[in-house]
Amino acid sequence: MSDASLMRVALFRDRLEAGQELAAALKGYAGLPDLIVLGLPRGGVPVARVVADALAAPLDVLVVRKLGVPGHEELAMGAIASGGGMFVNHDIIDRLGVPEKRVQAVIAEELAELSRRESAYRGQAPPLDLTGKTALLVDDGIATGATVAAAVQATRSAGAQRVVVAAPVGAPDSVANLRSLADDVVCPHTPSGFGSVGEWYMTFGQTSDEEVRALLSGAAG
């Protein structure tokens, strides 16, 4: 761990606290009759539940899967989302020389996992209708922004009239790039030397499928 990482101070105790701060930053959206909050599983759903409760808005999930570079899966070369949204970073693919066949194989694998997760989270229930709505996309943080970019495209494809991106913390460049894709971006913290999302939380455990289902089942609307 670098000296800079050792000196870094967490911004949030956990996702609950992060959601409370984000909800306060989003209070201008409270009471909108057409607002739907969409949590990005898994880690974004606990944050989104706090936001949805605070804004008295219905909550749903928008499943997004990162397309990891083969052999370096932590590096995103794009992302896919429910409803057919897809973001592909051709600069990374070309720079690393990833063959098209490998790219398509990763997409096929992640599409299968996306389908599994949608069934695990919702069962047979259909997604909420986004036609003409304001879709508020919530995640627990924005690193590369690839998954959120795919989510923005997916919500527009689903008929959302307005798309708002919200996260408690994000990398400055990624947040700036998303402003050209979404109608609004709300991110209270954009620290320099961002690193990873988890570095800004004291507790950043993995959210389980069971927790996602429980958070959805108790949501408003």
Side-chain angles (χ1 to χ4, degrees):
M1 185 178 293
S2 67
D3 291 341
S5 296
L6 289 171
M7 295 172 60
R8 187 166 293 164
V9 177
L11 295 169
F12 315 109
R13 182 177 62 251
D14 51 22
R15 291 184 177 93
L16 173 60
E17 184 176 85
Q20 291 168 342
E21 181 170 339
L22 185 60
L26 289 163
K27 61 183 180 181
Y29 287 95
L32 288 183
D34 66 344
L35 182 68
I36 293 179
V37 177
L38 298 170
L40 303 189
R42 296 184 187 113
V45 179
V47 180
R49 173 62 191 273
V50 176
V51 170
D53 287 350
L55 301 183
L59 172 67
D60 200 356
V61 293
L62 185 73
V63 184
V64 185
R65 293 293 298 169
K66 179 175 70 175
L67 302 176
V69 174
H72 303 278
E73 282 72 19
E74 74 284 353
L75 178 61
M77 60 181 178
I80 57 173
S82 305
M86 182 178 296
F87 171 80
V88 178
N89 191 326
H90 293 287
D91 289 340
I92 288 180
I93 291 171
D94 293 343
R95 186 166 72 246
L96 298 179
V98 183
E100 179 63 19
K101 185 176 181 179
R102 297 293 300 278
V103 174
Q104 293 304 317
V106 172
I107 290 174
E109 180 180 340
E110 294 302 338
L111 279 172
E113 177 62 13
L114 185 147
S115 178
R116 184 200 71 78
R117 290 198 179 197
E118 284 199 314
S119 177
Y121 300 152
R122 263 201 216 97
Q124 299 301 314
L128 295 179
D129 184 8
L130 298 179
T131 305
K133 305 293 186 179
T134 295
L136 176 56
L137 300 172
V138 177
D139 207 350
D140 54 10
I142 298 171
T144 66
T147 54
V148 181
V152 170
Q153 183 177 349
T155 51
R156 293 203 190 282
S157 298
Q161 183 175 13
R162 194 159 186 253
V163 180
V164 180
V165 169
V169 62
D173 290 347
S174 299
V175 171
N177 291 337
L178 286 169
R179 295 190 188 283
S180 65
L181 301 177
D183 297 293
D184 188 16
V185 177
V186 178
C187 188
H189 300 279
T190 54
S192 59
F194 180 80
S196 66
V197 173
E199 293 178 354
W200 302 100
Y201 288 78
M202 292 179 65
T203 301
F204 195 70
Q206 187 176 44
T207 304
S208 68
D209 288 349
E210 291 74 18
E211 288 176 292
V212 171
R213 284 196 295 269
L215 289 164
L216 289 174
S217 66

